[in-house]
């Protein structure tokens, strides 16, 4: 495996340059994180929506299943609710609730902000790697992480964000191409209202040339070809989300997984409809209908909070038309559910064969 040993492997304490993306909201189960780490990659717990007590339990469970390195992913952006247009948005959401049989709708909402407590739990329990989306850790938190020996990663979507992340003190940068599923990690939506949309092949080499810390490629990578191509572009590892989302250990709903199997490279769109932040997912009835009403969603996290009951009811009913089906653009290549360890080994074997064809 000499070809695939990079500085990132040593930095993060892993055998192979494969990082499982921190997909928040349920897909990254304890079992998935531990399985990826045990297989030689870096498993990541998507903790952004987890209560601190639940995060504590999950970290302890991961540590009971593996002694290898793993990561916890949290949101770094300041979250501030804005429900000033709540009545307008609620009116647009009413037909979805009616179709799903949702009767009890709260008259007021408040989004939780657990990021500081989540960070404290990670430090207390000795999590080896912390990764962030939407920005970098605050200076005080970054200093505490550094003094505790924690490796810190930040996901970026532009060269300027990469430079900001390097100045903030991160150990490595995840360059997220436009192909990636889930939320765009663009730091500020002031200039990029739908998130920066730079393709991975263009983004990675420019980020590599702009910073001195290692770069990790993310976006549409599902196999050994994607890993080798990313290394050729100057990245030292890859971050993979959608392929691990359909792993047997994933907590993704069965109809969510099936929607991925049924989709193609043309099935996804970038939308704010579910959360108020741009994210790539499979287009469904909720996205189409909400956007046809030409009503601007509430900002994040407020939109995410007010649509939570719709997503939960849809999941309970097994109805993918009203679920947030985050996915990248390489879904046509995903056809079967496999164990996470097999996914890691297949990607590595494919990459090695490309380096040394049999």
């Amino acid at each position: 495996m000499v070809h695939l040993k990079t500085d990132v492997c040593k930095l993060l304490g892993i055998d192979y340059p494969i990082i499982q993306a921190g997909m928040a909201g349920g897909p990254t189960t304890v079992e998935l994180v531990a399985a990826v780490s045990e297989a030689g990659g870096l498993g990541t717990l998507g903790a952004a929506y987890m209560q601190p007590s639940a995060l504590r339990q999950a970290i302890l469970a991961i540590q009971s299943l593996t002694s290898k390195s793993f990561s916890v992913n949290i949101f770094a952006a300041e979250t501030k609710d804005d429900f000033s247009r709540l009545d307008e948005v609620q009116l647009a959401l009413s037909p979805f609730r009616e179709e799903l049989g949702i009767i009890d709708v709260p008259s007021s909402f408040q989004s939780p902000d657990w990021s500081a407590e989540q960070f404290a739990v990670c430090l207390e329990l000795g999590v080896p790697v912390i990764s962030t989306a939407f920005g970098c850790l605050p200076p005080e938190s970054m200093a505490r992480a550094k003094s505790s020996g924690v490796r810190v990663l930040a996901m970026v979507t532009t060269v300027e964000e990469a430079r900001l992340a390097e100045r903030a003190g991160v150990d490595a940068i995840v360059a997220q191409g436009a192909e990636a599923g889930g939320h765009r990690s663009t730091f500020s939506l002031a200039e990029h209202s739908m998130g920066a949309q730079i393709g991975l092949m263009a983004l990675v080499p420019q980020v590599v040339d702009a910073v001195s810390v290692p770069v990790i490629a993310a976006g549409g990578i599902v196999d050994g070809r994607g890993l080798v191509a990313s290394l050729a572009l100057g990245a030292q590892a890859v971050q993979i989300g959608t392929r691990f989302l359909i792993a047997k250990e994933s907590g993704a709903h069965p109809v969510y997984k099936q929607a991925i199997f049924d989709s193609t490279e043309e099935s996804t769109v970038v939308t704010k409809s579910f959360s108020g932040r741009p994210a790539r997912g499979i287009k469904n009835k909720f996205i189409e209908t909400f956007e046809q009403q030409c009503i601007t969603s509430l900002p994040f996290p407020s939109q995410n909070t007010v649509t939570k009951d719709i997503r939960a009811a849809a999941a309970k009913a097994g109805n993918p038309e009203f679920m947030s089906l985050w996915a990248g653009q390489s879904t046509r290549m995903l056809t079967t559910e496999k164990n996470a360890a097999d996914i890691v080994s297949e990607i590595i074997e494919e990459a090695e064969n490309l380096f040394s064809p049999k």
Side-chain angles (χ1 to χ4, degrees), residues 67-352:
S67 60
K68 294 191 175 182
S69 183
F70 68 96
S71 175
V72 171
N73 179 262
I74 59 178
F75 292 158
E78 292 185 10
T79 57
K80 185 178 181 181
D81 272 328
D82 179 358
F83 292 111
S84 59
R85 296 175 39 258
L86 179 61
D87 290 345
E88 178 187 3
V89 172
Q90 288 287 60
L91 185 63
L93 296 176
S94 293
F96 306 126
R97 293 195 173 102
E98 183 177 350
E99 185 165 345
L100 291 167
I102 300 172
I103 300 174
D104 298 323
V105 182
S107 58
S108 62
F109 296 86
Q110 182 175 356
S111 305
D113 184 2
W114 294 313
S115 57
E117 294 173 80
Q118 292 165 343
F119 175 75
V121 170
C122 290
L123 288 193
E124 178 191 343
L125 297 182
V127 171
V129 182
I130 294 176
S131 61
T132 63
F134 309 157
C136 301
L137 291 174
E140 181 182 349
S141 297
M142 183 69 78
R144 290 176 60 195
K146 292 286 190 177
S147 64
S148 299
V150 177
R151 299 300 187 185
V152 180
L153 313 180
M155 188 158 60
V156 309
T157 59
T158 68
V159 169
E160 183 55 33
E161 289 171 357
R163 288 174 172 149
L164 290 172
E166 183 176 36
R167 289 198 292 269
V170 300
D171 295 287
I173 290 168
V174 180
Q176 183 196 40
E179 305 91 332
H183 282 98
R184 306 298 301 145
S185 193
T186 301
F187 288 12
S188 171
L189 301 183
E191 295 183 13
H192 306 282
S193 63
M194 291 303 292
Q197 299 292 327
I198 304 163
L200 190 68
M201 182 157 292
L203 181 63
V204 169
Q206 293 183 81
V207 171
V208 169
D209 289 349
V211 300
S212 59
V213 297
V215 175
I216 298 157
I221 301 165
V222 297
D223 59 15
R225 292 174 295 181
L227 172 54
V228 171
S230 298
L231 296 177
L233 292 173
Q236 295 191 26
V238 294
Q239 178 172 284
I240 298 174
T242 310
R243 186 165 185 189
F244 284 116
L245 191 147
I246 58 168
K248 290 184 177 180
E249 298 91 342
S250 163
H253 196 291
V255 299
Y256 185 176
K257 293 183 178 182
Q258 190 59 50
I260 291 175
F261 293 138
D262 294 339
S263 66
T264 73
E265 76 284 357
E266 298 183 86
S267 298
T268 66
V269 294
V270 176
T271 181
K272 289 184 178 179
S273 301
F274 280 109
S275 71
R277 243 190 180 274
R280 181 176 295 283
I282 297 172
K283 191 173 186 178
N284 58 11
K285 184 176 180 179
F286 181 91
I287 295 173
E288 287 184 301
T289 305
F290 187 87
E291 293 185 354
Q292 283 171 359
Q293 298 180 76
C294 297
I295 294 176
T296 303
S297 64
L298 299 175
F300 181 88
S302 304
Q303 182 78 4
N304 192 68
T305 299
V306 300
T307 62
K308 184 177 180 180
D309 62 336
I310 295 172
R311 289 177 280 119
K316 186 176 181 180
N319 187 343
E321 292 299 328
F322 302 95
M323 298 167 61
S324 51
L325 307 171
W326 306 139
Q329 289 185 316
S330 296
T331 54
R332 191 188 288 272
M333 293 189 281
L334 305 176
T335 58
T336 56
E337 186 181 55
K338 297 182 179 180
N339 293 320
D342 291 336
I343 293 173
V344 173
S345 62
E346 282 185 12
I347 293 172
I348 294 302
E349 183 177 357
E350 289 167 357
E352 281 292 320

